[in-house]
Amino acid sequence: MASEHDEGGSGPVAAPRDGAAAAAGTPDPKTATPDRKTAAAIAAAEAAGPQHGESVRVDSWIWAVRLIKTRSLGATACRGGHVRVNGERVKPAYSLRVGDEVRLRQEGRERVVVVKRLIRKRVGAPVAVQCYVDNSPPPPPREAVAPAGIRDRGAGRPTKRDRREMDRLRGLEGLSSSRRDAGTRP
């Protein structure tokens, strides 16, 4: 009768390796070094994270996982109603828990993330992505976003003709005719 270890039933599972490293039977040094660094960074982030019973502010967490550039911008986004946790608008001091869904609107895009790990201090990008599950819709393609009337440097202020041309390109033709009518009325 075969043992459990012969069939691989409940024995330890080996991590998959690259083809060349698997053939040689040694781990790939290129991938082994960043994994050690990442593991050390994760350990440091967990040590600096909240202990049992403590919580993390939502503005601090979205800054720590690099969704926002600064903590003050995170607080401003919360106050402005751009941050929702589980569908509710929250204040900057709202306490996050593991499993919460955080929706953040910024720069015309909505980020939807589920909290996997609570951290207080800002960490590197490889560690930050392990602290949440990203369920965000893909960003719009760059071609779909029309440029906002870029002018050459030193071209000066646009003339009336240039402005009408820019309005026509933006689809604001009716608006400029109403402006002209408003200017000629007594």
Side-chain angles (χ1 to χ4, degrees), residues 29-42:
K30 292 179 187 174
T31 58
T33 306
D35 289 342
R36 286 186 204 138
K37 288 181 182 177
T38 304
I42 290 172

Side-chain angles (χ1 to χ4, degrees), residues 1-14:
M1 183 160 146
S3 69
E4 294 177 83
H5 297 290
D6 294 338
E7 295 174 6
S10 63
V13 179

Side-chain angles (χ1 to χ4, degrees), residues 25-133:
T26 59
D28 187 13
K30 292 179 187 174
T31 58
T33 306
D35 289 342
R36 286 186 204 138
K37 288 181 182 177
T38 304
I42 290 172
E46 286 178 353
Q51 303 303 320
H52 296 289
E54 293 183 28
S55 60
V56 176
R57 293 170 54 114
V58 66
D59 62 338
S60 177
W61 187 83
I62 62 176
W63 165 76
V65 296
R66 297 176 169 266
L67 295 177
I68 290 264
K69 288 186 180 186
T70 65
R71 184 172 170 189
S72 63
L73 282 176
T76 304
C78 290
R79 278 190 240 106
H82 300 288
V83 178
R84 292 179 177 266
V85 176
N86 299 327
E88 306 266 336
R89 287 175 54 173
V90 294
K91 293 183 178 180
Y94 181 85
S95 297
L96 276 182
R97 292 178 301 213
V98 174
D100 284 346
E101 180 188 65
V102 178
R103 291 179 172 267
L104 171 69
R105 278 187 300 134
Q106 67 183 66
E107 299 169 3
R109 182 175 176 217
E110 185 174 37
R111 301 285 307 267
V112 181
V113 297
V114 177
V115 179
K116 278 177 40 179
R117 180 179 296 138
L118 296 175
I119 58 173
R120 287 178 190 263
K121 294 189 176 182
R122 193 167 173 98
V123 293
V127 179
V129 296
Q130 294 180 357
C131 295
Y132 60 86
V133 178

Side-chain angles (χ1 to χ4, degrees), residues 160-174:
K160 186 182 269 189
R161 182 179 180 182
D162 292 339
R163 192 189 65 223
R164 286 184 186 141
E165 183 67 19
M166 287 188 287
D167 286 348
R168 188 183 63 76
L169 289 172
R170 289 183 190 139
L172 303 174
E173 294 172 30

